[in-house]
Amino acid sequence: MKFNRFHLFRKNRLFFVILAVIWLALAAYSFYLGVYWLGALLILWGLLMPVRSRARAARSVKRHAKTNKQLNQPDEVRYRLDPERITVETVSADRTSSTELKWSAIYRVYETTDSYYIYISNIQALILPKKDIVSGSARELSQWMRDSLGKAYKVV
């Protein structure tokens, strides 16, 4: 759920603002022409449309997460990071799995105030909460990723 919110709204924030500005500019033009009812309608649409779009996307993510059994949270996820690879172990009541990824296969890493979003493609990512780091510190990991990944590492 956290990943879907981050992923959806990381890129689309500016899009919503631009659309609102366009609708409000059209409203101003309608008032200039003397078509007040249309101007009022466009103002209402320009202010409510971005809010409605974000709420609709968030509901869609919630519905998808509820119905997709593969997205259900495992009981435990362990990340092991070393200079060559990331190892992800997931443990659930009905299954256990382990995946290894080389750092060269990482698409991009975004660091937020509380987590790392390690993208393995442009639509799929691992989420590593900073509070769950048990060996080393978030500051050391950030510095290592900044040095190792270069432009693929971004702080947002």
Side-chain angles (χ1 to χ4, degrees):
M1 195 67 138
K2 185 176 178 180
F3 165 72
N4 284 312
R5 281 193 200 115
F6 175 80
H7 183 72
L8 276 174
F9 302 125
R10 171 181 55 90
K11 296 179 187 175
N12 297 335
R13 217 173 270 154
L14 185 60
F15 174 74
F16 289 121
V17 170
I18 290 171
L19 279 179
V21 168
I22 289 170
W23 287 111
L24 294 174
L26 288 171
Y29 187 65
S30 295
F31 280 116
Y32 174 75
L33 294 176
V35 187
Y36 300 112
W37 67 270
L38 182 60
L41 185 65
L42 289 171
I43 285 175
L44 189 63
W45 184 254
L47 294 176
L48 294 180
M49 190 264 309
V51 173
R52 180 184 168 276
S53 296
R54 286 180 67 107
R56 192 170 174 199
R59 274 193 314 273
S60 175
V61 165
K62 211 177 237 182
R63 190 174 338 113
H64 179 68
K66 229 183 231 184
T67 60
N68 190 337
K69 297 266 187 215
Q70 292 180 2
L71 290 179
N72 289 340
Q73 293 293 335
D75 297 331
E76 189 176 349
V77 178
R78 290 182 224 126
Y79 296 96
R80 207 172 35 243
L81 291 77
D82 60 52
E84 288 90 37
R85 72 185 61 82
I86 302 170
T87 305
V88 183
E89 297 174 346
T90 57
V91 179
S92 297
D94 58 345
R95 67 181 172 165
T96 300
S97 66
S98 178
T99 305
E100 287 187 359
L101 300 162
K102 292 187 177 191
W103 282 104
S104 60
I106 298 303
Y107 175 70
R108 183 158 292 143
V109 175
Y110 290 97
E111 179 185 352
T112 64
T113 55
D114 63 346
S115 300
Y116 297 98
Y117 292 83
I118 304 171
Y119 275 74
I120 55 179
S121 74
N122 64 342
I123 59 170
Q124 193 175 16
L126 306 169
I127 301 174
L128 176 61
K130 288 180 178 179
K131 66 179 176 58
D132 293 343
I133 295 175
V134 292
S135 178
S137 70
R139 181 178 294 142
E140 292 170 341
L141 181 57
S142 297
Q143 187 61 47
W144 182 84
M145 285 196 276
R146 184 177 293 118
D147 295 342
S148 300
L149 299 172
K151 292 181 181 181
Y153 177 81
K154 298 194 184 286
V155 177
V156 291

